[in-house]
Amino acid sequence: MKTFTDKRRNASSDGGNSGFKMKQLPFMGVICSVTLYIVYRTTNYQYYETQMETKLHPFDSVEDNELPSGKLKDLPRGIMHTRSDLELRHQWRKSLRSAVKVNTNKNLLAMPVGIKQKEHVDDVVKKFRTENFTIVLFHYDGKVDGWWDLDWCDKAIHIVAHNQTKWWFAKRFLHPDIVSTYDYIFLWDEDLGVEHFNPGRYLEIVKSEGLEISQPALDPNSTEIHHRITIRSRMKKFHRRVYELRGKTRCSNISEGPPCSGFVEGMAPVFSRAAWRCAWHLIQNDLVHGWGMDMKLGYCAQGDRTKNVGVIDREYIVHKGIQTLGGTGELTKKTKKKRGTSSGSSGLDTRAEIRRQSTWELKIFKERWNQAVTQDKDWIDPFPRQQRRRKHKRQSKFVDLYD
């Protein structure tokens, strides 16, 4: 049985607790208000950031004529987008400034690379990083860990597949819808010297001359120059054709096709967005070396290939002629002989096998092209060269030997 003293003590205790709770109410109100304010500001900031990103890097909604027939009816139309990119995305945002920086990349450099050519690749990437290019490296030897000491490595996209070629990678990872946000796509080999090359100045020339497909000229001292049209002319800013009166391939004033005009080689091509959409479809899924494709790239020039395809002389490169995929990753025998060095290499070199495979692929590609032309009754060749050849054959003894 409780006494009167116990009751007073309990009442006093209850009153104290009530008073403490009353004192807590204003403090809790302040905490709730601050929390709500933070949530509001965070939500508003994220919305503003999303709006900024949309303006800086817009994605077009799917139009009716872009929808695969009957395949995407389960999704609401407005949620589907046709375009993406290869930009790295933060899992969290540090600031709006960082988001703006990420989305200002408008051009893409993609290269197949091996660890033995790390020094050459580093020189190339540094040139392009100063112009804010997006960098994609295709690692054909799988040795990605050896690149992390380079200061730009974590800002590049790294794709690994053992012993695959540049065209294999490009077909699978540079789909036109993925790279459609980039104005120009540089699809380069790794053994190129860029001491005399500036990407920004190069693109200024390309844009001013309206070139859809281009390449930098090759220094005359380069190794393994296959076509005269790619050699640098010291007196020109750029050129679209070449005249050659000697050798197997003769180029005269009536030669209007590859490799005399409308031609770039496969080692360092540069494509506009529209030209790449066409060229990507030209790449055969199973023919990985790309032989013969350079002779047909002019069909992707978005018009007259003799005008829209060119070689830039003012910004030129050096082809080092280093065997990489399928080789030793060192100088070719031809280059070593030229430089007075011995091969110093033992063991099996698979370059002979690769050359046989490439030759076979060239034959298959030609057959596929001819078959496609025959089967597509609606397709009209925009470059009917046979007719022009017959017309001008009597006017010149030089004829274009490439069909």
Side-chain angles (χ1 to χ4, degrees):
M1 188 173 185
K2 293 183 179 180
T3 63
F4 179 75
T5 305
D6 294 333
K7 293 181 179 179
R8 290 187 61 184
R9 186 180 297 113
N10 291 338
S12 176
S13 176
D14 292 341
N17 290 335
S18 300
F20 177 74
K21 292 179 180 179
M22 291 296 293
K23 292 179 181 179
Q24 279 186 321
L25 289 178
F27 177 74
M28 293 300 293
V30 171
I31 294 297
C32 290
S33 298
V34 171
T35 302
L36 290 174
Y37 178 75
I38 293 174
V39 171
Y40 168 76
R41 288 300 301 269
T42 302
T43 304
N44 190 54
Y45 172 81
Q46 291 176 342
Y47 172 79
Y48 176 70
E49 187 180 60
T50 302
Q51 293 295 104
M52 286 288 293
E53 186 167 331
T54 302
K55 292 179 180 180
L56 289 167
H57 206 105
F59 293 88
D60 298 333
S61 296
V62 173
E63 301 294 339
D64 290 346
N65 59 354
E66 295 173 332
L67 282 173
S69 177
K71 293 183 179 180
L72 295 176
K73 293 183 178 179
D74 294 333
L75 295 176
R77 192 177 306 274
I79 200 64
M80 293 180 283
H81 298 274
T82 61
R83 303 170 67 186
S84 185
D85 57 36
L86 291 169
E87 300 303 310
L88 296 173
R89 302 289 174 175
H90 291 290
Q91 295 186 48
W92 63 91
R93 297 291 190 190
K94 295 181 179 179
S95 67
L96 273 177
R97 183 176 300 177
S98 65
V100 172
K101 183 177 181 181
V102 167
N103 289 290
T104 54
N105 294 359
K106 287 294 184 181
N107 303 296
L108 175 72
L109 169 68
M111 299 176 66
V113 300
I115 195 65
K116 291 182 179 180
Q117 309 311 323
K118 179 179 175 181
E119 182 179 348
H120 299 307
V121 175
D122 186 32
D123 291 339
V124 174
V125 171
K126 284 180 178 178
K127 287 267 186 173
F128 282 83
R129 285 289 299 171
T130 59
E131 299 293 335
N132 203 30
F133 272 65
T134 296
I135 308 297
V136 179
L137 300 184
F138 302 134
H139 295 270
Y140 57 77
D141 61 357
K143 299 179 180 179
V144 183
D145 290 343
W147 297 79
W148 293 116
D149 59 322
L150 302 177
D151 57 1
W152 49 262
C153 187
D154 61 341
K155 300 176 180 66
I157 307 294
H158 300 269
I159 301 173
V160 183
H162 284 270
N163 295 324
Q164 300 306 308
T165 69
K166 176 172 69 175
W167 301 109
W168 184 93
F169 281 107
K171 185 66 173 179
R172 286 150 183 81
F173 299 103
L174 298 184
H175 188 280
D177 289 345
I178 296 296
V179 300
S180 62
T181 58
Y182 304 108
D183 295 330
Y184 292 92
I185 293 92
F186 289 62
L187 188 58
W188 281 21
D189 290 348
E190 62 182 329
D191 60 337
L192 304 175
V194 292
E195 181 181 354
H196 307 287
F197 180 83
N198 180 280
R201 292 196 295 265
Y202 178 91
L203 286 179
E204 288 178 2
I205 299 173
V206 167
K207 294 175 183 178
S208 66
E209 301 301 332
L211 300 178
E212 297 286 337
I213 302 176
S214 63
Q215 76 161 81
L218 299 182
D219 187 292
N221 294 321
S222 297
T223 59
E224 296 190 23
I225 296 178
H226 304 117
H227 301 283
R228 184 174 175 80
I229 193 173
T230 63
I231 300 177
R232 181 195 179 212
S233 174
R234 297 180 182 273
M235 305 303 294
K236 295 181 180 179
K237 180 170 68 173
F238 75 101
H239 64 272
R240 293 186 173 96
R241 63 178 302 116
V242 68
Y243 298 94
E244 178 59 61
L245 306 181
R246 300 169 298 175
K248 180 180 178 181
T249 304
R250 299 185 179 184
C251 300
S252 70
N253 59 345
I254 67 169
S255 302
E256 298 183 11
C260 301
S261 66
F263 175 84
V264 299
E265 199 172 358
M267 71 175 68
V270 178
F271 302 91
S272 69
R273 181 189 299 114
W276 176 249
R277 180 169 291 277
C278 171
W280 183 87
H281 287 88
L282 186 63
I283 301 172
Q284 304 295 291
N285 184 67
D286 57 330
L287 306 182
V288 298
H289 292 288
W291 277 30
M293 198 175 72
D294 52 4
M295 293 292 174
K296 303 301 182 184
L297 285 177
Y299 285 92
C300 294
Q302 311 302 297
D304 189 346
R305 63 186 175 189
T306 64
K307 296 179 180 179
N308 297 347
V309 180
V311 178
I312 309 301
D313 298 294
R314 189 164 293 174
E315 301 298 325
Y316 61 99
I317 58 177
V318 177
H319 184 211
K320 298 179 181 295
I322 301 174
Q323 293 180 352
T324 53
L325 186 63
T328 62
E330 299 175 356
L331 298 176
T332 62
K333 293 181 180 179
K334 181 178 178 181
T335 307
K336 288 180 177 181
K337 184 176 180 181
K338 181 178 179 181
R339 298 186 182 182
T341 59
S342 59
S343 70
S345 175
S346 59
L348 178 65
D349 187 350
T350 59
R351 295 298 296 181
E353 291 296 328
I354 287 180
R355 188 168 186 84
R356 277 192 285 271
Q357 174 72 17
S358 300
T359 303
W360 176 81
E361 289 190 3
L362 172 61
K363 179 177 179 292
I364 296 299
F365 180 79
K366 287 182 177 180
E367 291 175 354
R368 289 181 183 178
W369 177 271
N370 293 333
Q371 183 180 11
V373 170
T374 302
Q375 292 178 346
D376 192 346
K377 303 300 182 182
D378 297 327
W379 185 74
I380 300 176
D381 192 339
F383 312 115
R385 299 168 59 200
Q386 293 291 339
Q387 296 179 11
R388 286 200 295 264
R389 183 181 301 156
R390 286 194 294 267
K391 180 179 179 180
H392 294 286
K393 191 172 183 179
R394 296 180 181 178
Q395 301 177 14
S396 175
K397 65 178 180 179
F398 301 120
V399 295
D400 192 345
L401 300 180
Y402 279 75
D403 292 325

